[in-house]
Amino acid sequence: MSFSSLLYSQKAIVIGDSQSSYIAMNSKAELYKPLFKVGIGLVKLNSLVLREPINYKVEFVFISIGVNDSYQYQELNFTETLKSTFPNAKFYMVPGSHGWGNVKKFNENYYSKFKVSVLKNRIGPGDPHRNKESYRVIGREINKILDNE
């Protein structure tokens, strides 16, 4: 791990589904294992965040969620849960994948319902369970956010 990675790992984390590991692998943000789970959906992630102690050190949270719920939004006050657990953080949704398994289409409106920032780049079509180019593009976008703060 480089010095710059150590610097950012204390303040920037990636949470959510299996795609989170590839996002972290390609960015300066660290995979936060207590809030990472393969196959996780919004309900389970919300329950895990509720159990986390308040963390004042984290400044950025990048969230990969949606594909395991087929982009069907569920009102859980997830954003409020995040803000309570990480009160000093800015939150960014990472638009997910589609066109594989049961997820044929991407729901353009899904992420806007969380009322947090959404990254411009998405994981995109095809099986997301390999380190594909879109993760490198997303990583560069995340690093640009971190470098400008």
Side-chain angles (χ1 to χ4, degrees):
M1 185 178 275
S2 69
F3 175 73
S4 65
S5 295
L6 284 172
L7 175 71
Y8 288 109
S9 69
Q10 298 299 313
K11 72 175 192 174
I13 62 173
V14 182
I15 67 172
D17 58 26
S18 60
Q19 297 167 67
S20 301
S21 61
Y22 296 108
I23 294 164
M25 184 186 310
N26 287 283
S27 73
K28 295 176 184 175
E30 180 179 301
L31 181 64
Y32 187 65
K33 290 183 181 176
L35 300 178
F36 160 73
K37 186 169 175 59
V38 173
I40 198 169
L42 183 60
V43 172
K44 180 66 175 173
L45 181 58
N46 189 66
S47 72
L48 292 176
V49 174
L50 282 168
R51 288 186 240 159
E52 277 292 299
I54 296 172
N55 186 326
Y56 295 99
K57 292 181 182 179
V58 171
E59 297 176 26
F60 299 90
V61 178
F62 297 92
I63 306 127
S64 177
I65 201 72
V67 70
N68 294 311
D69 294 320
S70 298
Y71 300 107
Q72 299 301 309
Y73 180 78
Q74 300 170 41
E75 182 55 57
L76 299 170
N77 294 320
F78 181 63
T79 304
E80 295 308 315
T81 301
L82 288 169
K83 289 177 181 177
S84 295
T85 302
F86 303 104
N88 296 329
K90 294 178 183 173
F91 304 98
Y92 295 84
M93 289 288 184
V94 180
S97 62
H98 59 90
W100 64 279
N102 293 327
V103 187
K104 301 298 180 202
K105 293 172 62 177
F106 183 78
N107 181 344
E108 294 289 340
N109 298 316
Y110 178 77
Y111 295 103
S112 65
K113 296 180 180 177
F114 292 99
K115 296 181 176 50
V116 300
S117 297
V118 179
L119 295 185
K120 178 180 78 173
N121 295 290
R122 69 170 70 155
I123 295 164
D127 185 352
H129 300 104
R130 59 183 174 81
N131 194 13
K132 54 192 212 169
E133 179 61 25
S134 59
Y135 291 118
R136 290 182 275 287
V137 172
I138 289 165
R140 287 191 296 270
E141 184 177 357
I142 288 171
N143 293 346
K144 188 173 181 180
I145 291 166
L146 297 177
D147 290 344
N148 287 328
E149 289 294 323

